[in-house]
Amino acid sequence: MAHFPATPLTAEPSDRLSGTVRVPGDKSISHRALIFGALAVGETRIMGLLEGADVLATAEAMRRLGADVQRHADGSWSVHGVGVGGLREPDQPLDFGNSGTGARLVMGLVAGHPITATFIGDASLSRRPMGRVIAPLTDMGATFHARAGGRLPLTLIGARRTMPIAYPLPVASAQVKSAVLLAGLNAPGQTTVIEATPTRDHTERMLKAFGAEVQIETGPRGLLAIRLTGEPELRPCPIAVPGDPSSAAFPVVAALLTPGSEIIVQGITLNPHRAGLYTTLMEMGGDIEVMNQREEGGEPVADLRVRSSRLRGIDVPPERAASMIDEYPVLAVAAAFAEGETKMLGIHELRVKESDRIAATASGLRANGVKVRESEDGMIVEGRGGAVAGAGHVATHMDHRIAMSFLVMGLAAQKPVTVDDASMIATSFPDFVPLMRGLGASFSGAGQ
């Protein structure tokens, strides 16, 4: 994987933002399109694939596992798959850089095949726990040799005979659910995942699109059972990757906070398991108009018109966390400009992301004159009513979402905000700076 030298970047108070933009393809869907393409027999064509470092790491992993993955001159991608059960043993470690999603999903994929693979990543990924994926995959017959705490680097010996299981998710995690379902593709009979809290359902949608038999049932106490019939023959399916709502969050919040702004963000997925941030911003008084709703590739898609707004603090329902888990740092920035307190609880999952995002967000807010009370599973931000001082220097901890969130803050604060490293933005949003500049944002520094 490429090494990104540290590149500080400063966001300066900006005039109104205006224009129409299209954000990069959805990262979650991009990972899955490559993986399912590798498991189908024949060619899968993908339009709009996110070409950030995280997704490119998954593309390279699919090549090492035997699929033919190519990028074409028109920006489309093709994957010639090997079929379920047809993966080959890689002759080199699978390097996932900073990508927890790629690493965990491909662990599920490899666990269901009788091959051995070593998983490595960068310093940040190597600190992140993999135990929640290791536990069910071990039950299915895989063997793991990992560092203490189930951390990378680890070597996975796939099951000789994959066992179907019924697995209640101990935490709401689409990555764990997907890993179990991917392993279950090469198991006889039915593999079942049981969710107490619904998580993003891109895997289930794509499994169906590629021809797998998936049943989703609501049982007692509202538990959701996802049942996959194993050993299908997956058929190629053209994928048009919609815009990533997690990436769209940054221009959307910037437009809400920067006075006089009006922008349109085109073609993002508003999958109900991903749209929690937009619901929350509207509840805070954000002027967000949902336009041109449609369905593309099994995903609900729409355009958003966003106008600058006076926001008010709210209590964000904890049960909404799974639908917006990646967006809490930028929501906290929006909350800093709101009137009154915003409570964000039930978000312990943020402690084990690319960084401890609760601690990193709270530290960044304090550095810019915003009061925040931090707890084990959340934070309460005291809004400044639009008058955020800025002038802070924010430690990003190699986390792309922390970097982008505080650059958004700098556009609307009274004084510039500097992040210590903008290089990792390339993992999910390589064109963040030029896209935001095109709307009128002002940035300076080595990371420009």
Side-chain angles (χ1 to χ4, degrees), residues 115-182:
I115 60 176
T116 298
T118 297
F119 290 69
I120 63 175
D122 67 9
S124 171
L125 184 59
S126 298
R127 288 193 295 268
R128 297 170 66 182
M130 298 292 160
R132 62 181 58 174
V133 175
I134 291 172
L137 297 180
T138 299
D139 291 345
M140 299 178 81
T143 303
F144 291 81
H145 299 285
R147 287 173 57 230
R151 290 174 167 80
L152 301 187
L154 66 76
T155 296
L156 192 173
I157 304 169
R160 290 282 161 201
R161 185 172 180 275
T162 311
M163 302 297 295
I165 61 171
Y167 188 69
L169 287 179
V171 294
S173 170
Q175 293 178 4
V176 177
K177 171 177 67 175
S178 299
V180 172
L181 293 173
L182 281 163

Side-chain angles (χ1 to χ4, degrees), residues 115-422:
I115 60 176
T116 298
T118 297
F119 290 69
I120 63 175
D122 67 9
S124 171
L125 184 59
S126 298
R127 288 193 295 268
R128 297 170 66 182
M130 298 292 160
R132 62 181 58 174
V133 175
I134 291 172
L137 297 180
T138 299
D139 291 345
M140 299 178 81
T143 303
F144 291 81
H145 299 285
R147 287 173 57 230
R151 290 174 167 80
L152 301 187
L154 66 76
T155 296
L156 192 173
I157 304 169
R160 290 282 161 201
R161 185 172 180 275
T162 311
M163 302 297 295
I165 61 171
Y167 188 69
L169 287 179
V171 294
S173 170
Q175 293 178 4
V176 177
K177 171 177 67 175
S178 299
V180 172
L181 293 173
L182 281 163
L185 281 169
N186 211 26
Q190 280 196 332
T191 294
T192 303
V193 178
I194 300 162
E195 291 187 314
T197 302
T199 62
R200 57 184 67 178
D201 61 353
H202 305 304
T203 296
E204 298 94 302
R205 288 173 183 262
M206 205 171 287
L207 277 166
K208 291 178 181 178
F210 277 81
E213 184 181 329
V214 180
Q215 298 171 322
I216 301 172
E217 302 166 3
T218 303
R221 304 186 308 280
L223 294 176
L224 206 62
I226 301 102
R227 306 186 196 281
L228 167 69
T229 301
E231 300 178 319
E233 180 167 314
L234 299 184
R235 58 178 180 264
C237 174
I239 301 291
V241 180
D244 192 325
S246 298
S247 295
F250 301 105
V252 165
V253 170
L256 289 173
L257 301 182
T258 307
S261 298
E262 179 175 338
I263 69 169
I264 293 174
V265 183
Q266 294 180 321
I268 70 164
T269 178
L270 289 184
N271 182 308
H273 298 300
R274 297 288 302 283
L277 173 72
Y278 300 98
T279 301
T280 301
L281 291 172
M282 290 185 219
E283 290 175 357
M284 295 174 75
D287 185 349
I288 301 174
E289 179 185 354
V290 180
M291 309 184 299
N292 192 19
Q293 297 185 66
R294 57 215 187 260
E295 186 167 295
E296 295 178 2
E299 292 282 341
V301 173
D303 305 333
L304 300 180
R305 185 191 303 276
V306 186
R307 299 179 178 92
S308 57
S309 308
R310 290 185 62 83
L311 303 181
R312 56 183 176 273
I314 65 167
D315 292 358
V316 184
E319 60 270 18
R320 194 176 289 165
S323 69
M324 54 184 293
I325 195 66
D326 288 330
E327 285 79 74
Y328 279 95
V330 77
L331 174 63
V333 167
F337 288 83
E339 287 280 358
E341 286 187 346
T342 297
K343 294 182 181 178
M344 295 167 270
L345 304 176
I347 55 174
H348 182 268
E349 180 73 7
L350 291 186
R351 296 280 187 194
V352 293
K353 287 288 188 177
E354 281 85 335
S355 66
D356 178 340
R357 283 184 176 158
I358 294 176
T361 300
S363 175
L365 291 172
R366 294 186 188 109
N368 288 283
V370 179
K371 291 183 179 179
V372 55
R373 303 195 298 282
E374 188 182 338
S375 66
E376 182 58 28
D377 79 331
M379 53 189 157
I380 300 172
V381 178
E382 295 186 23
R384 304 284 302 166
V388 172
H393 190 276
V394 177
T396 60
H397 303 282
M398 296 176 66
D399 191 322
H400 52 126
R401 299 200 193 280
I402 297 298
M404 288 184 281
S405 296
F406 284 98
L407 290 170
V408 166
M409 171 177 273
L411 302 178
Q414 293 170 334
K415 293 183 179 178
V417 174
T418 299
V419 300
D420 66 350
D421 188 3

Side-chain angles (χ1 to χ4, degrees), residues 8-12 407 416-419 442-445:
L9 186 62
T10 299
E12 298 163 348
L407 290 170
V417 174
T418 299
V419 300
S442 180
F443 297 109
S444 63

Side-chain angles (χ1 to χ4, degrees), residues 70-85:
Q70 296 185 31
R71 185 189 190 277
H72 302 283
D74 63 358
S76 69
W77 288 67
S78 62
V79 183
H80 288 266
V82 296
V84 173

